Amino acid sequence: MNYAFDYGWLLEYWPVLLKGLAITVELTLVGGVFGVALGVACAWARALGPKWLRPIVTTYVEMIRNTPFLIQLFFIFFGLPSLGVRLGELEAANLAMIINLGAYGCEIVRAGIQATPKGQFEAGASLGMSRIQTFWYVVLIPALQRIWPALSSQIVIVMLGSAAVSQIAAEDLTFAANFIQSRTFRAFEAYFVSTAIYLALAIALRQMLRGLGWSLFPKRSGR
Amino acid sequence: MSLIEITEVKKRFGDNEVLKGINIDVEPGEVIAIIGKSGSGKSTLLRCINGLETIDEGSISVAGAQLLPDELHLKALRLKVGMIFQQFNLFPHLSAGKNVMLSQMVVKKTPKAEAEEMAKKMLERVGLGHKFDAYPDQLSGGQQQRVAIARALAMEPIALLCDEITSALDPELVNEVLAVVKELASEGMTLLMVTHEMRFARDVCSRVVFMHMGRVHEIGRPEDVFANPKTPELKQFLGMQH
């Protein structure tokens, strides 16, 4: 092996990487927040919602969970314009990630809701709370606490999966790495550096989600 | 007019008729013990009174609020009767104080400061003023059940339904809960309790209802019911085999 490693390009191209990183972070934040919100709403609909709503949500969830993310992304970015819905690459990327996490999050959160003891619903009802109030104030937080590790993993998976958005020219971290290696022909170094950044990002995201869990859920209960 | 009127109530679970026409009228301030074997329908009756179960026939009304299966009527009814459960059913993610505050703020729209004051007062009343910030899993079973009582009382109900509230407790914790109930009874709270604590029923209750096979089999003052049971079923239940 006589390949000479050269990281000299970093001097010139680090702003490109930084911009890619910023976009990946933005996609993850928006996708994470709205995706989890969508997941919670869908979980409520499937577990406790009105009967007519359930098949609609089930169809959405099964469609997303049984097709590749890349195809969903292409469908939104290349397919929808035929119907007159034209989205920019970042909007399309955000939307795809929200829809994707919403479906997986739905099933995870639903498991947490369905593990709620019946007595919690009855206690809420006996105190005069409506079904929706009982869900929001009584059931939701302990349900999220039960499935928080699984939901955190899913958010990290979606963050890593966001690499696919480079395929519709959204200028994320993967797009930046591709761009740099095509300019410098330093494929190993470009992907090595971007790999390291993804790794650091994933670890940081997991820590952040763990911290969020600590602040969202009381330390004592259920542990 | 009685405070609680239970008239010809029938309830079926599939083919199994668990309540076969129940009639009980409860006057304000009465303390009623409902006793009977498991499967006799006593818990189901109690759960019907605040609409946790629907009824198939008959009617139930509490201080004029009718039991009807829509959310508006149910809410009106549930604001008049509080319920305490065998398994406490405290909200695990909220402190004792927040457990007592939540429904006041959500259902009655009580301002936070007022709800907090009420919560302190009610926790004080059940002897747990110092546990305001404790979470349910930091409390013993008896303490949790007393918080549940405080939570129900904070809604200012005119009657309390107690569904075997000491059955899940270790024997040494039963008395602290019964003492609170006794206190409430002496203050004039109307109480309907399903219980296996016969001594308590005899000492505290104004009337005892013995249920058997989905019917009110015997009803009367505790001294009569316990000393002179009229039916062989009650005699057998009380362990008098002669």
Side-chain angles (χ1 to χ4, degrees), chain B residues 15-75:
Chain B
D15 291 338
N16 182 18
E17 191 169 44
V18 286
L19 300 178
K20 299 172 179 166
I22 304 284
N23 290 290
I24 304 174
D25 288 340
V26 182
E27 303 304 324
E30 270 201 292
V31 178
I32 296 196
I34 304 172
I35 60 173
K37 284 194 288 196
S38 67
S40 60
K42 52 195 194 311
S43 274
T44 304
L45 175 63
L46 212 59
R47 291 164 58 81
C48 285
I49 297 175
N50 81 339
L52 287 180
E53 305 285 355
T54 55
I55 57 177
D56 296 314
E57 280 175 52
S59 72
I60 295 176
S61 78
V62 180
Q66 280 281 337
L67 169 64
L68 292 168
D70 61 286
E71 226 172 47
L72 213 69
H73 279 94
L74 280 177
K75 184 178 161 185

Coordinates of all heavy atoms in Angstrom, one line a residue, chain B residues 15-75:
Chain B
D15 N -73.8 -12.7 27.9 CA -74.9 -13.5 28.4 C -75.0 -13.5 29.9 O -76.0 -14.0 30.5 CB -74.8 -15.0 27.9 CG -75.0 -15.1 26.4 OD1 -75.6 -14.2 25.9 OD2 -74.5 -16.1 25.8
N16 N -74.0 -12.9 30.5 CA -73.9 -13.0 32.0 C -74.5 -11.8 32.6 O -74.0 -10.7 32.5 CB -72.4 -13.1 32.4 CG -72.2 -13.3 33.9 OD1 -73.2 -13.6 34.6 ND2 -71.0 -13.0 34.3
E17 N -75.7 -12.0 33.2 CA -76.3 -10.8 33.9 C -75.8 -10.7 35.3 O -76.0 -11.5 36.2 CB -77.9 -11.1 33.9 CG -78.6 -9.8 34.3 CD -80.1 -9.9 34.2 OE1 -80.7 -11.0 34.5 OE2 -80.7 -9.0 33.7
V18 N -75.0 -9.6 35.5 CA -74.3 -9.4 36.8 C -75.2 -8.6 37.7 O -75.0 -8.8 39.0 CB -72.9 -8.8 36.6 CG1 -72.0 -9.8 36.1 CG2 -72.9 -7.6 35.8
L19 N -76.0 -7.7 37.3 CA -76.9 -7.0 38.1 C -78.3 -7.3 37.6 O -78.6 -7.0 36.5 CB -76.6 -5.5 38.1 CG -75.2 -5.0 38.5 CD1 -75.1 -3.5 38.4 CD2 -74.9 -5.4 40.0
K20 N -79.2 -7.8 38.5 CA -80.5 -8.3 38.1 C -81.6 -7.4 38.7 O -82.6 -8.0 39.2 CB -80.6 -9.7 38.5 CG -79.6 -10.6 37.9 CD -79.6 -12.0 38.5 CE -78.6 -12.9 37.8 NZ -78.4 -14.2 38.5
G21 N -81.5 -6.1 38.6 CA -82.5 -5.3 39.2 C -82.2 -4.8 40.6 O -82.7 -5.3 41.5
I22 N -81.4 -3.8 40.6 CA -80.9 -3.3 41.9 C -81.7 -2.0 42.3 O -81.8 -1.1 41.5 CB -79.4 -2.9 41.9 CG1 -78.6 -4.1 41.5 CG2 -78.9 -2.4 43.2 CD1 -78.4 -5.2 42.5
N23 N -82.2 -1.9 43.5 CA -82.8 -0.7 44.0 C -82.2 -0.3 45.4 O -82.2 -1.1 46.3 CB -84.3 -1.0 44.3 CG -85.1 -1.1 43.0 OD1 -85.2 -0.2 42.2 ND2 -85.5 -2.4 42.7
I24 N -81.5 0.8 45.4 CA -81.0 1.3 46.6 C -81.2 2.9 46.6 O -80.9 3.5 45.6 CB -79.5 1.0 46.8 CG1 -79.2 -0.5 46.7 CG2 -79.0 1.6 48.2 CD1 -77.7 -0.8 46.8
D25 N -81.7 3.4 47.7 CA -81.7 4.9 47.8 C -80.8 5.2 49.0 O -80.8 4.6 50.0 CB -83.1 5.4 48.1 CG -84.0 5.3 46.9 OD1 -83.5 5.2 45.8 OD2 -85.2 5.3 47.1
V26 N -79.9 6.2 48.7 CA -79.0 6.6 49.7 C -79.3 8.1 50.2 O -79.4 9.0 49.3 CB -77.5 6.6 49.2 CG1 -76.5 6.9 50.3 CG2 -77.2 5.2 48.6
E27 N -79.4 8.3 51.5 CA -79.7 9.6 52.0 C -78.4 10.4 52.2 O -77.3 9.7 52.4 CB -80.4 9.5 53.3 CG -81.8 8.7 53.2 CD -82.7 9.3 52.2 OE1 -82.7 10.6 52.0 OE2 -83.4 8.5 51.5
P28 N -78.4 11.7 52.3 CA -77.2 12.4 52.5 C -76.6 12.1 53.9 O -77.3 11.9 54.8 CB -77.7 13.9 52.5 CG -79.0 13.9 51.8 CD -79.6 12.5 52.0
G29 N -75.2 11.9 53.9 CA -74.6 11.6 55.1 C -74.5 10.1 55.5 O -73.9 9.7 56.5
E30 N -75.2 9.3 54.7 CA -75.2 7.9 55.0 C -73.8 7.3 54.6 O -73.2 7.7 53.7 CB -76.3 7.1 54.2 CG -77.6 7.0 54.9 CD -78.5 5.9 54.3 OE1 -78.9 6.0 53.2 OE2 -78.7 4.9 55.1
V31 N -73.4 6.2 55.4 CA -72.3 5.5 55.1 C -72.7 4.0 54.8 O -73.2 3.4 55.7 CB -71.2 5.5 56.2 CG1 -70.0 4.7 55.8 CG2 -70.8 7.0 56.4
I32 N -72.5 3.6 53.6 CA -73.1 2.3 53.2 C -72.0 1.3 52.9 O -71.1 1.6 52.0 CB -74.1 2.4 52.1 CG1 -75.3 3.3 52.6 CG2 -74.5 1.1 51.5 CD1 -76.5 3.3 51.7
A33 N -72.0 0.2 53.5 CA -71.0 -0.9 53.1 C -71.7 -1.9 52.2 O -72.9 -2.3 52.5 CB -70.5 -1.6 54.4
I34 N -71.1 -2.2 51.1 CA -71.6 -3.2 50.3 C -70.7 -4.5 50.4 O -69.5 -4.4 50.2 CB -71.6 -2.8 48.8 CG1 -72.4 -1.5 48.7 CG2 -72.2 -3.8 47.9 CD1 -72.3 -0.8 47.3
I35 N -71.3 -5.5 50.9 CA -70.5 -6.8 51.1 C -71.1 -7.9 50.2 O -72.2 -7.8 49.7 CB -70.5 -7.2 52.6 CG1 -72.0 -7.5 53.1 CG2 -69.9 -6.1 53.5 CD1 -72.0 -8.1 54.5
G36 N -70.3 -8.9 50.1 CA -70.8 -10.1 49.3 C -69.6 -10.8 48.7 O -68.5 -10.3 48.8
K37 N -69.9 -12.0 48.2 CA -68.8 -12.8 47.6 C -68.3 -12.2 46.4 O -69.0 -11.3 45.8 CB -69.3 -14.2 47.3 CG -69.5 -15.1 48.5 CD -69.7 -16.5 48.1 CE -71.1 -16.8 47.5 NZ -71.5 -18.2 47.4
S38 N -67.1 -12.6 45.9 CA -66.6 -12.0 44.6 C -67.5 -12.6 43.5 O -68.0 -13.8 43.6 CB -65.2 -12.4 44.4 OG -65.1 -13.8 44.2
G39 N -67.9 -11.8 42.6 CA -68.8 -12.2 41.5 C -70.2 -11.9 41.8 O -71.1 -12.1 41.0
S40 N -70.5 -11.3 43.0 CA -71.9 -11.0 43.4 C -72.4 -9.7 42.7 O -73.5 -9.4 42.8 CB -72.0 -10.9 44.9 OG -71.2 -9.8 45.4
G41 N -71.4 -8.9 42.1 CA -71.8 -7.7 41.4 C -71.6 -6.4 42.2 O -72.0 -5.3 41.7
K42 N -71.0 -6.5 43.3 CA -70.8 -5.3 44.2 C -69.9 -4.2 43.5 O -70.2 -3.0 43.5 CB -70.4 -5.6 45.6 CG -69.2 -6.5 45.7 CD -69.0 -7.1 47.1 CE -67.7 -7.7 47.4 NZ -67.2 -8.6 46.4
S43 N -68.8 -4.7 43.0 CA -67.9 -3.7 42.3 C -68.5 -3.1 41.1 O -68.4 -1.9 40.8 CB -66.5 -4.4 42.0 OG -65.7 -4.3 43.1
T44 N -69.2 -4.0 40.3 CA -69.9 -3.5 39.1 C -70.9 -2.4 39.4 O -71.0 -1.4 38.7 CB -70.6 -4.7 38.4 OG1 -69.6 -5.7 38.1 CG2 -71.2 -4.2 37.1
L45 N -71.7 -2.7 40.5 CA -72.7 -1.7 40.9 C -72.0 -0.3 41.2 O -72.5 0.7 40.7 CB -73.4 -2.2 42.2 CG -74.4 -1.2 42.8 CD1 -75.5 -0.9 41.8 CD2 -75.0 -1.7 44.1
L46 N -70.9 -0.4 41.9 CA -70.2 0.9 42.3 C -69.7 1.6 41.0 O -69.8 2.8 40.9 CB -69.0 0.5 43.2 CG -68.6 1.6 44.3 CD1 -69.8 1.8 45.2 CD2 -67.5 1.1 45.1
R47 N -69.1 0.8 40.1 CA -68.6 1.4 38.9 C -69.7 1.9 38.0 O -69.4 2.9 37.2 CB -67.8 0.3 38.1 CG -66.5 -0.1 38.8 CD -65.9 -1.4 38.3 NE -65.6 -1.3 36.9 CZ -64.5 -0.7 36.4 NH1 -63.6 -0.2 37.2 NH2 -64.3 -0.6 35.1
C48 N -70.9 1.4 38.1 CA -72.0 1.9 37.3 C -72.4 3.3 37.9 O -72.8 4.2 37.1 CB -73.3 1.0 37.4 SG -73.1 -0.4 36.4
I49 N -72.2 3.5 39.2 CA -72.7 4.8 39.8 C -72.0 6.0 39.2 O -72.6 7.1 39.1 CB -72.7 4.7 41.3 CG1 -73.6 3.6 41.8 CG2 -73.1 6.0 41.9 CD1 -73.5 3.4 43.3
N50 N -70.7 5.8 38.9 CA -70.1 7.0 38.2 C -69.8 6.8 36.8 O -68.9 7.4 36.2 CB -68.9 7.5 39.0 CG -67.7 6.7 38.8 OD1 -67.7 5.6 38.3 ND2 -66.5 7.3 39.1
G51 N -70.5 5.8 36.2 CA -70.4 5.7 34.7 C -69.2 5.0 34.1 O -68.9 5.2 33.0
L52 N -68.4 4.3 35.0 CA -67.3 3.6 34.4 C -67.8 2.3 33.7 O -67.2 1.8 32.8 CB -66.3 3.1 35.5 CG -65.5 4.3 36.1 CD1 -64.5 3.7 37.1 CD2 -64.6 4.9 35.0
E53 N -69.1 1.9 34.0 CA -69.8 0.9 33.3 C -71.1 1.5 32.8 O -71.7 2.3 33.6 CB -70.0 -0.4 34.1 CG -68.8 -1.0 34.8 CD -67.9 -1.8 33.9 OE1 -68.3 -1.9 32.7 OE2 -66.9 -2.2 34.3
T54 N -71.6 1.1 31.7 CA -72.9 1.5 31.3 C -73.9 0.6 31.9 O -73.6 -0.6 32.2 CB -73.0 1.5 29.7 OG1 -72.7 0.1 29.3 CG2 -72.1 2.4 29.1
I55 N -75.2 1.0 32.0 CA -76.2 0.1 32.5 C -77.1 -0.2 31.3 O -77.3 0.5 30.4 CB -77.0 0.7 33.7 CG1 -77.6 2.0 33.3 CG2 -76.1 0.8 34.9 CD1 -78.4 2.6 34.5
D56 N -77.7 -1.4 31.4 CA -78.6 -1.9 30.3 C -80.1 -1.5 30.6 O -80.8 -1.2 29.7 CB -78.5 -3.4 30.1 CG -77.1 -3.8 29.7 OD1 -76.6 -3.1 28.8 OD2 -76.5 -4.7 30.3
E57 N -80.5 -1.5 31.8 CA -81.8 -1.1 32.2 C -81.8 -0.3 33.5 O -80.9 -0.4 34.3 CB -82.7 -2.3 32.3 CG -83.2 -2.9 31.0 CD -84.0 -4.2 31.2 OE1 -84.9 -4.1 32.0 OE2 -83.7 -5.2 30.5
G58 N -82.9 0.4 33.8 CA -83.0 1.1 35.0 C -82.4 2.5 35.0 O -82.0 3.0 33.9
S59 N -82.3 3.1 36.1 CA -81.7 4.5 36.2 C -80.9 4.7 37.4 O -81.1 4.1 38.5 CB -82.8 5.5 36.0 OG -83.5 5.6 37.3
I60 N -79.9 5.6 37.3 CA -79.1 6.0 38.5 C -79.1 7.5 38.4 O -78.8 8.1 37.4 CB -77.7 5.4 38.4 CG1 -77.7 3.9 38.5 CG2 -76.8 6.0 39.5 CD1 -76.4 3.2 38.4
S61 N -79.3 8.2 39.6 CA -79.1 9.6 39.6 C -78.5 10.0 40.9 O -78.7 9.4 42.0 CB -80.4 10.4 39.4 OG -81.2 10.4 40.6
V62 N -77.6 11.0 40.8 CA -76.9 11.5 42.0 C -77.2 13.0 42.1 O -76.8 13.7 41.3 CB -75.4 11.2 41.9 CG1 -74.7 11.8 43.2 CG2 -75.1 9.8 41.8
A63 N -77.9 13.4 43.2 CA -78.3 14.8 43.4 C -78.8 15.4 42.1 O -78.5 16.5 41.7 CB -77.1 15.6 43.9
G64 N -79.7 14.6 41.4 CA -80.3 15.2 40.2 C -79.6 14.9 38.9 O -80.1 15.1 37.9
A65 N -78.3 14.5 39.0 CA -77.5 14.3 37.8 C -77.8 12.8 37.4 O -77.5 11.9 38.1 CB -76.0 14.5 38.0
Q66 N -78.4 12.7 36.2 CA -78.7 11.4 35.7 C -77.5 10.7 35.0 O -76.6 11.4 34.4 CB -79.8 11.5 34.6 CG -81.2 11.7 35.1 CD -81.8 10.3 35.6 OE1 -81.4 9.3 35.2 NE2 -82.7 10.4 36.5
L67 N -77.4 9.4 35.2 CA -76.4 8.6 34.4 C -76.8 8.4 33.0 O -77.8 7.7 32.7 CB -76.1 7.3 35.1 CG -75.3 6.3 34.3 CD1 -73.9 6.8 34.1 CD2 -75.3 4.9 35.0
L68 N -76.2 9.1 32.1 CA -76.5 9.0 30.7 C -75.2 8.8 30.0 O -74.2 9.4 30.4 CB -77.3 10.2 30.1 CG -78.7 10.3 30.6 CD1 -79.3 11.7 30.3 CD2 -79.6 9.2 30.1
P69 N -75.1 8.1 28.9 CA -73.8 7.7 28.3 C -73.1 8.7 27.5 O -72.2 8.4 26.8 CB -74.2 6.4 27.5 CG -75.6 6.6 27.1 CD -76.2 7.4 28.2
D70 N -73.5 10.0 27.5 CA -72.7 11.0 26.8 C -71.8 11.7 27.7 O -72.0 11.8 28.9 CB -73.6 12.0 26.0 CG -74.5 12.7 27.0 OD1 -75.5 12.1 27.5 OD2 -74.2 13.9 27.2
E71 N -70.7 12.3 27.1 CA -69.6 12.8 27.9 C -70.1 14.0 28.8 O -69.6 14.1 29.9 CB -68.4 13.3 27.0 CG -67.1 12.8 27.6 CD -65.9 13.0 26.7 OE1 -65.7 14.1 26.2 OE2 -65.1 12.0 26.6
L72 N -71.0 14.8 28.3 CA -71.5 15.9 29.1 C -72.2 15.5 30.4 O -71.9 16.0 31.5 CB -72.5 16.8 28.3 CG -72.4 18.3 28.5 CD1 -71.1 18.9 28.1 CD2 -73.6 19.0 27.8
H73 N -73.1 14.5 30.3 CA -73.8 14.0 31.5 C -72.9 13.3 32.4 O -73.0 13.4 33.6 CB -75.0 13.1 31.0 CG -76.2 13.9 30.6 ND1 -76.5 14.2 29.3 CD2 -77.2 14.4 31.3 CE1 -77.6 14.9 29.2 NE2 -78.1 15.0 30.4
L74 N -72.0 12.5 31.8 CA -71.0 11.8 32.6 C -70.2 12.7 33.4 O -69.9 12.5 34.6 CB -70.1 10.9 31.7 CG -70.7 9.6 31.2 CD1 -69.7 8.9 30.3 CD2 -71.0 8.7 32.4
K75 N -69.7 13.8 32.8 CA -68.9 14.8 33.5 C -69.7 15.4 34.7 O -69.2 15.5 35.8 CB -68.4 15.9 32.6 CG -67.5 16.8 33.2 CD -67.0 17.9 32.2 CE -66.4 19.1 33.0 NZ -66.0 20.2 32.1

